[in-house]
Amino acid sequence: MPTRRRVRPRWIVRTVATIVAVVAIPWFLMQTVFAPTLRLARLRAEPSPNLLRVPVSGVRVRRLVDTWGGIRNGNRRHEGIDIFAPRGTAVVAATYGIVSIVGQNQLGGNVVWIAGPGRERHYYAHLEAFAAISEGAEVMIGDTLGYVGDTGNARGTPTHLHYGIYTDSGAINPYPKLIPPWRRSAPVGP
């Protein structure tokens, strides 16, 4: 007895193909092509944190010194704070976010930029070396970004991290965000 071949009506095939095109393709695009843009948009819409983690492992809040606004060569003002630590000490993310740049520039030497909540961009400079991170990667608070050094215009100075925060309006002082409210009136320094 010969086997009968089942024939599907063409309208069923076209309907299934249309459903796949209408549902699966946009879903695929949202998960791959547009996902980084959507993650960044959600992150930027969140409020900026009032308190950040000290971005150098082992450095306690009481050792931080507010070096914001100090005069630098070329009649520049210091747009961040310097956190001194031995060469090779881990530099960690002060906030969660998305790595936007892992690279080099003349002033900062080896630098990492993190896009954080509230449209803030966190700048980590003078790194001796980078950790295993890449642009576009998500980082959590405390993830290692690199290691304390003296690259860029810090060559020959005591090893430190230059940490800065930038908003759409320009640089802001990161020091107040690193000091818990209950310690803000306490003396600082070594």
Side-chain angles (χ1 to χ4, degrees):
M1 184 184 249
T3 43
R4 240 173 100 174
R5 213 167 130 199
R6 189 169 180 205
V7 177
R8 291 192 177 114
R10 289 187 178 165
W11 68 269
I12 293 175
V13 173
R14 276 184 260 157
T15 302
V16 169
T18 302
I19 290 170
V20 167
V22 168
V23 174
I25 292 173
W27 179 85
F28 174 77
L29 290 173
M30 292 298 283
Q31 299 303 314
T32 57
V33 177
F34 301 121
T37 303
L38 292 173
R39 280 191 341 248
L40 184 59
R42 278 192 300 261
L43 184 67
R44 292 172 62 114
E46 293 180 29
S48 63
N50 293 322
L51 184 62
L52 298 170
R53 182 189 199 286
V54 175
V56 178
S57 287
V59 173
R60 297 185 187 266
V61 169
R62 70 176 181 265
R63 284 190 43 214
L64 298 179
V65 176
D66 189 356
T67 57
W68 170 263
I71 301 291
R72 295 297 190 254
N73 63 358
N75 223 10
R76 293 180 302 112
R77 293 277 183 178
H78 195 228
E79 292 185 341
I81 68 167
D82 293 332
I83 304 172
F84 294 88
R87 183 180 306 278
T89 303
V91 170
V92 297
T95 185
Y96 62 93
I98 298 171
V99 178
S100 56
I101 296 174
V102 177
Q104 298 174 329
N105 66 41
Q106 191 172 8
L107 291 176
N110 294 329
V111 301
V112 172
W113 285 87
I114 304 291
R119 303 174 72 95
E120 290 181 343
R121 295 173 309 281
H122 299 258
Y123 179 63
Y124 304 81
H126 306 314
L127 304 175
E128 179 71 18
F130 300 110
I133 59 171
S134 59
E135 293 175 9
E138 291 186 48
V139 294
M140 299 306 293
I141 296 169
D143 285 355
T144 302
L145 305 175
Y147 304 92
V148 171
D150 66 348
T151 60
N153 69 350
R155 182 73 59 205
T157 67
T159 56
H160 65 281
L161 169 70
H162 170 90
Y163 176 62
I165 301 175
Y166 294 82
T167 68
D168 292 343
S169 302
I172 63 170
N173 187 352
Y175 182 78
K177 289 187 168 232
L178 296 168
I179 305 297
W182 60 89
R183 295 206 58 156
R184 290 186 183 156
S185 61
V188 296

